[in-house]
């Protein structure tokens, strides 16, 4: 492989880097960066969008997750990103520990926050609290606006994606 450009923008370990497709699935291309957008996610919760033709500072920095981030996925056709990380502005500390999935537009605008569902466990059946299933991985359908989320108990949930802002989730 040939090195095209070296982008050093994160102060923390990078947990994901993806080329963002600016169009497709009926979505108009971003006119200023058609096909040259690089999304990078760092363990400290930052999401950066950079123009591959211009090494150096990113064109957009987003505080995607307040405390940590572990995964980044990009839709192969639509300008959509998904991240797994801490809530940051969490309602409870449990949300921040378990993590949430956030869906972003290709320009870094937040479209949706998906909280892990609460499920019954042996502890909750004995009167203890229900446990949340932390997300462990995310992947987009290759041709449709669908997102798969892997959970810590081995189950997978699939969600339809929208290019409009929404919030979904469990407890």
């Amino acid at each position: 492989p040939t090195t095209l450009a070296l982008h050093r923008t994160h102060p923390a370990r990078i947990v994901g880097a993806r080329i963002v497709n600016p169009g497709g699935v009926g979505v108009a291309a971003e006119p200023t960066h058609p096909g040259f957008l690089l999304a990078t996610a760092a363990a400290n919760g930052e999401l950066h969008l950079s123009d591959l033709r211009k090494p150096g500072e990113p064109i957009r920095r987003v505080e995607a997750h307040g405390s940590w981030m572990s995964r980044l996925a990009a839709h192969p056709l639509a300008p959509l990103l998904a991240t797994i990380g801490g809530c940051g502005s969490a309602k409870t500390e449990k949300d921040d520990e378990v993590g949430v999935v956030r869906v972003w537009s290709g320009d870094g605008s937040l479209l949706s926050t998906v909280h892990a569902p609460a499920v019954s466990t042996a502890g909750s059946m004995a009167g203890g609290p229900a446990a949340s299933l932390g997300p462990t991985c995310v992947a987009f359908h290759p041709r449709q606006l669908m997102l798969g989320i892997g959970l810590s108990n081995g189950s997978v949930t699939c969600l339809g994606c929208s290019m409009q802002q929404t919030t979904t989730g469990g407890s």
Side-chain angles (χ1 to χ4, degrees):
T2 302
T3 302
L4 299 176
L6 183 60
H7 294 266
R8 293 181 188 211
T9 62
H10 287 284
R13 178 177 59 91
I14 295 192
V15 297
R18 303 287 185 269
I19 303 296
V20 179
N21 189 334
V25 193
V27 179
E30 166 65 43
T32 56
H33 309 284
F36 295 99
L37 199 59
L38 173 68
T40 55
N44 67 352
E46 288 185 3
L47 176 66
H48 290 187
L49 299 172
S50 302
D51 187 327
L52 287 171
R53 301 166 295 181
K54 301 174 186 174
E57 288 298 308
I59 56 175
R60 178 123 192 235
R61 293 174 193 257
V62 178
E63 186 70 28
H65 297 275
S67 56
W68 58 270
M69 186 164 22
S70 64
R71 299 285 184 272
L72 170 68
H75 194 285
L77 299 176
L80 290 172
L81 301 166
T83 56
I84 297 176
C87 240
S89 59
K91 292 177 273 184
T92 66
E93 289 181 19
K94 187 166 121 180
D95 283 341
D96 199 45
E97 292 169 9
V98 173
V100 298
V101 174
R102 290 199 168 134
V103 179
W104 308 87
S105 67
D107 69 0
S109 299
L110 179 63
L111 296 175
S112 181
T113 297
V114 181
H115 294 269
V119 296
S120 294
T121 61
S124 65
M125 287 184 257
S132 287
L133 301 175
T136 58
C137 61
V138 287
F140 283 101
H141 187 281
R143 291 178 298 284
Q144 297 181 22
L145 294 178
M146 293 178 63
L147 177 67
I149 302 171
L151 301 173
S152 60
N153 73 342
S155 65
V156 176
T157 186
C158 292
L159 305 171
C161 295
S162 170
M163 298 300 287
Q164 299 175 0
Q165 293 183 339
T166 61
T167 300
T168 64
S171 64

